[in-house]
Amino acid sequence: MNICMVGTGYVGLVAGTCLADFGMNVTCVDIDKEKIDRLNRGEVPIYEIGLSELIARNVKLERLRFSTGLAEAVDRSLVVFLAVGTPEGEGGRPDLRALYEVARQVGACMTEYKVIAIKSTVPVGTSREIRRIVRQSLKTPIDFDIVSNPEFLREGAAINDFLRPDRIILGSDSERALAIMRDLYRPLYLLKKPIVSTSNETAELIKYAANTMLALRISYINEIANLCDLVGADVYDVAVALGMDKRIGPKFLHPGPGFGGSCFPKDVKALAHLAQEHDYEFRIVDAVVAVNAHQREVILNKSRQTLGGFQGKTVTILGLSFKPDTDDTRESPAIHMAQALLREGAAVQAYDPAAMNEAKRVLPQIKCDNNPYSACENSDLVMIVTEWNEFRDLDLARVRTLVRTPNLYDTRNLYEPSQVRALGFNYLCTGRSAVK
Ligand code: NAD
């Protein structure tokens, strides 16, 4: 099958590459010429484990190509995926301009039947609007179908998630399109991955409902952690015990500085906005947004109190990406912390295994070091903000000799409090401050 993937970002590049690996002929299209040129030179613009090898293999086998030429790629393909960004717009409403522009362009160059599959995360009703835009842009009347096919991959585990999804959602009222999409996903179906066929509107809502549910769990455990600090309980044991309950399960119950990334923050706000548009006050979603913003303040307040203000102090941030195993710093809690620290007069030193270039683009004032130890030199407070594996077993005795003032804020609870305190640190954490 010939596939066109419009938008070659985290989702489009991974999805396009994995489909090529199933043996399909995939053209990944983007308006960013520099990105396409880099990919054609064999450079991979994002950090994602295993991706460069997979791209190289499929390019070599001539099943995967990169182009800025949309018309040619559409012409060659039966399925056209739309995977462009849908960032947060005004008032939490997703900004769909890029997506609508692509729909116009795809409609304008279609000469025969296509399935247009929306992979981008979009509000309910978007598939209807895309159908209207494509129809309006057609040069001659041509049959086409729209399938809502939201993506659930996680950065840092994207290839595995795409190849082994918990489920595949296909929203469409066309049996013809559903049959084509089932055929496309057949390699996954052979791995017994269930396909949920539903309406476009339901498929669109499922994505927001899923992401908000996960964000809600993070906010919930963060509130429990804050309460643990007040009542002298240990959030680690609370979370473990909660997770043992089969009705609850252990995932997304790790307290920390709140969720970030390019999806959860904007998707939660988009769901709140959708509810507002329908005059529905979605209280729990509003609370998730507020709790998440508050969690960052909780950490900044404790840090401020510890240092007696940030002015003139040096703070080290370990981990800049919004989560481990990615270089994505969009809405990263670490970036938020660094901005607040700089605003209040601190000098910020940082280290991240993959995201320093990305971070420097938004925050050129931070001093990035090429290893975690030099980033700790003369620091008044070391904050572990992202739980990269390499921060789980730091030589803290060495860190203790490098810092100016021994304050360690382990926002992700990677260490045992007693061991860190035994090294002479003032140890701060999330929901475990009473643990001896
Ligand atoms: P991204 O910003 O990494 O990539 C989007 C790409 O689209 C960019 O390369 C951009 O240049 C390109 N683009 C923009 N306008 C274009 C146009 N007119 N023609 C061609 N290309 C164009 O975004 P992403 O993280 O891959 O997310 C894409 C969508 O998938 C979003 O809706 C997002 O919410 C959703 N999603 C993302 C993830 C994730 O983990 N990143 C997971 C699931 C779903």
Side-chain angles (χ1 to χ4, degrees):
M1 194 186 292
N2 289 341
I3 310 283
C4 170
M5 184 69 66
V6 192
T8 308
Y10 282 88
V11 166
L13 185 56
V14 171
T17 305
C18 290
L19 291 174
D21 209 50
F22 290 154
M24 293 166 213
N25 288 309
V26 181
T27 309
C28 289
V29 175
D30 207 286
I31 38 162
D32 184 340
K33 186 172 179 310
E34 196 196 320
K35 188 181 269 189
I36 294 298
D37 288 346
R38 283 183 68 188
L39 282 160
N40 281 324
R41 285 197 302 270
E43 293 172 30
V44 179
I46 57 171
Y47 177 89
E48 189 63 49
I49 293 164
L51 184 59
S52 44
E53 294 81 354
L54 211 58
I55 291 176
R57 185 148 68 99
N58 286 287
V59 167
K60 198 166 165 212
L61 291 167
E62 297 182 0
R63 296 193 296 229
L64 179 61
R65 53 181 75 79
F66 305 102
S67 169
T68 52
L70 181 72
E72 201 187 315
V74 168
D75 199 42
R76 196 185 302 132
S77 305
L78 173 60
V79 180
V80 179
F81 280 99
L82 310 186
V84 299
T86 49
E88 186 180 331
E90 214 163 294
R93 176 203 297 266
D95 180 347
L96 301 176
R97 282 175 299 179
L99 190 70
Y100 289 160
E101 178 53 29
V102 170
R104 248 185 302 280
Q105 291 172 6
V106 169
C109 63
M110 272 166 46
T111 53
E112 58 184 355
Y113 175 81
K114 306 283 171 201
V115 174
I116 299 173
I118 308 172
K119 255 220 172 302
S120 303
T121 303
V122 294
V124 177
T126 306
S127 57
R128 229 177 298 131
E129 181 61 9
I130 290 201
R131 193 189 309 274
R132 192 190 64 75
I133 293 172
V134 172
R135 192 171 290 134
Q136 234 175 27
S137 315
L138 292 170
K139 301 239 165 75
T140 50
I142 298 164
D143 199 14
F144 68 92
D145 285 308
I146 307 281
V147 176
S148 302
N149 175 218
E151 181 52 56
F152 295 91
L153 61 77
R154 293 163 300 169
E155 288 174 27
I159 294 171
N160 188 57
D161 283 354
F162 188 85
L163 296 177
R164 293 170 194 79
D166 291 337
R167 73 303 205 193
I168 296 152
I169 308 295
L170 298 177
S172 180
D173 54 10
S174 156
E175 269 313 314
R176 181 182 184 188
L178 286 173
I180 292 169
M181 293 302 285
R182 278 197 205 101
D183 193 30
L184 184 145
Y185 281 116
R186 199 172 40 86
L188 295 183
Y189 197 57
L190 294 177
L191 298 173
K192 301 233 179 324
K193 295 302 168 193
I195 290 180
V196 178
S197 304
T198 183
S199 67
N200 289 88
E201 288 74 12
T202 307
E204 289 166 338
L205 188 60
I206 286 170
K207 174 65 189 178
Y208 286 113
N211 271 6
T212 304
M213 178 86 201
L214 297 172
L216 186 149
R217 284 174 70 104
I218 295 171
S219 281
Y220 179 73
I221 201 68
N222 281 338
E223 294 255 75
I224 292 286
N226 295 341
L227 193 58
C228 283
D229 278 334
L230 294 173
V231 302
D234 179 355
V235 73
Y236 180 83
D237 289 344
V238 175
V240 167
L242 285 176
M244 286 171 175
D245 186 325
K246 289 193 184 64
R247 296 166 303 176
I248 298 173
K251 301 276 175 69
F252 285 79
L253 289 180
H254 303 286
F259 56 80
S262 66
C263 292
F264 283 7
K266 79 167 171 68
D267 292 351
V268 173
K269 285 187 202 154
L271 186 59
H273 186 270
L274 179 73
Q276 260 171 34
E277 275 188 333
H278 290 80
D279 290 328
Y280 182 70
E281 198 184 339
F282 204 151
R283 293 174 184 83
I284 204 164
V285 177
D286 296 337
V288 171
V289 175
V291 168
N292 200 50
H294 179 247
Q295 190 63 9
R296 294 169 181 195
E297 295 315 310
V298 167
I299 288 170
L300 282 168
N301 284 342
K302 271 204 242 174
S303 306
R304 201 180 283 111
Q305 235 170 26
T306 301
L307 295 180
F310 294 132
Q311 184 64 44
K313 298 288 167 32
T314 299
V315 178
T316 299
I317 294 187
L318 297 182
L320 293 163
S321 54
F322 82 94
K323 67 172 179 179
D325 299 327
T326 179
D327 60 352
D328 198 342
T329 59
R330 290 180 281 186
E331 295 284 327
S332 169
I335 299 293
H336 178 88
M337 307 278 170
Q339 280 165 334
L341 290 162
L342 290 166
R343 235 184 353 256
E344 294 182 41
V348 177
Q349 307 179 159
Y351 168 75
D352 186 285
M356 292 197 293
N357 287 342
E358 280 302 310
K360 268 190 187 157
R361 286 203 319 188
V362 272
L363 279 180
Q365 312 94 304
I366 58 176
K367 177 176 169 286
C368 288
D369 280 279
N370 56 13
N371 78 68
Y373 298 101
S374 47
C376 291
E377 278 174 17
N378 298 318
S379 185
D380 296 298
L381 169 68
V382 175
M383 301 175 86
I384 301 174
V385 187
T386 313
E387 70 279 33
W388 283 88
N389 272 343
E390 68 177 86
F391 300 150
R392 290 177 188 273
D393 193 24
L394 289 167
D395 181 349
L396 290 181
R398 182 174 165 200
V399 173
R400 174 73 183 81
T401 65
L402 296 168
V403 296
R404 182 160 49 212
T405 325
N407 291 309
L408 178 70
Y409 204 145
D410 178 10
T411 70
R412 303 277 182 176
N413 297 342
L414 302 186
Y415 289 94
E416 268 312 306
S418 57
Q419 286 171 1
V420 185
R421 289 191 191 112
L423 293 168
F425 280 101
N426 170 37
Y427 178 72
L428 301 129
C429 54
T430 309
R432 306 195 75 204
S433 53
V435 178
K436 296 282 175 266

